């Protein structure tokens, strides 16, 4: 949040205030996700969300090629990323984990999925600044976009649709 806003060029005092806007933007996406996941196919919601995340990450990556010139694009791309992340990629894995496993292993499957997600979150958080120092902001965000594209391709090929199905 605030670190990315500082990288974009906002001063410390503004970056903290902008973090509230970022949180509200993702929160709005999460609220809409509740409605979307209740009414639409899981794959449609998740894949649409991931597509928006990819566009946001690519926008952030491009912005850092000349951040002084593209600061507005960077801010808009961060907001797009957070909103579309909230729309499905944030809550979707928890929903799907609770639906794809049979009752006999559902708790273990859901716990394993949640643990994997938190380990991945930790690794990104722990390595982000080192990665930026090593390869630069633009390449770091491009890498995240490419990883999200690979994840989308994998899920498209292997993730079943669970909307409207019984849990057994």
């Amino acid at each position: 949040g605030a670190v990315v806003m500082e990288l974009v060029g906002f001063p410390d005092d503004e970056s903290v205030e902008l973090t509230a806007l970022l949180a509200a933007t993702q929160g709005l996406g999460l609220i809409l996700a509740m409605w979307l996941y209740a009414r639409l196919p899981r794959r449609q919601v998740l894949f649409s969300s991931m597509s928006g995340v990819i566009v946001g990450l690519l926008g952030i990556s491009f912005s850092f090629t000349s951040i002084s010139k593209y600061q507005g694009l960077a801010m808009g791309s961060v907001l797009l990323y957070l909103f579309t992340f909230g729309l499905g990629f944030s809550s979707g894995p928890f929903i799907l984990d609770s639906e794809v496993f049979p009752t006999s292993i559902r708790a273990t499957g859901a716990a394993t999925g949640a643990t994997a997600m938190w380990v991945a979150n930790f690794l990104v958080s722990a390595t982000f600044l080192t990665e930026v120092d090593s390869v630069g902001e633009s390449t770091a965000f491009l890498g995240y976009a490419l990883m999200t594209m690979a994840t989308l391709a994998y899920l498209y090929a292997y993730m079943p649709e669970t909307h409207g199905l019984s849990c057994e």
Side-chain angles (χ1 to χ4, degrees):
V3 171
V4 173
M5 292 296 97
E6 289 174 25
L7 290 172
V8 168
F10 292 102
D12 282 348
D13 59 333
E14 287 181 32
S15 66
V16 172
E17 293 168 0
L18 287 171
T19 301
L21 173 63
L22 301 179
T25 300
Q26 185 172 355
L28 178 61
L30 284 165
I31 290 167
L32 290 173
M34 289 187 290
W35 184 86
L36 291 171
Y37 273 119
R39 289 163 181 77
L40 299 175
R42 310 295 192 231
R43 288 171 57 94
Q44 178 183 347
V45 176
L46 183 61
F47 298 163
S48 296
S49 169
M50 291 177 76
S51 297
V53 165
I54 291 165
V55 171
L57 288 168
L58 290 173
I60 296 167
S61 175
F62 179 77
S63 298
F64 277 111
T65 61
S66 179
I67 196 61
S68 61
K69 185 175 177 182
Y70 298 118
Q71 187 180 39
L73 176 63
M75 185 64 187
S77 296
V78 169
L79 291 172
L80 174 67
Y81 166 83
L82 288 170
F83 179 72
T84 56
F85 183 83
L87 277 179
F89 203 23
S90 178
S91 57
F94 293 104
I95 293 167
L96 290 160
D97 282 348
S98 71
E99 296 176 342
V100 297
F101 296 106
T103 303
S104 62
I105 63 166
R106 185 169 296 136
T108 301
T112 301
T115 300
M117 192 163 35
W118 283 109
V119 167
N121 289 339
F122 170 77
L123 290 174
V124 169
S125 298
T127 62
F128 176 73
L129 292 176
T130 303
E131 183 180 6
V132 165
D133 287 342
S134 297
V135 299
E137 294 92 346
S138 184
T139 303
F141 284 102
L142 178 61
Y144 294 137
L146 293 173
M147 285 187 274
T148 306
M149 287 177 201
T151 302
L152 178 59
Y154 177 84
L155 292 175
Y156 187 83
Y158 297 107
M159 187 184 85
E161 179 56 65
T162 59
H163 180 74
L165 301 177
S166 70
C167 288
E168 290 303 319

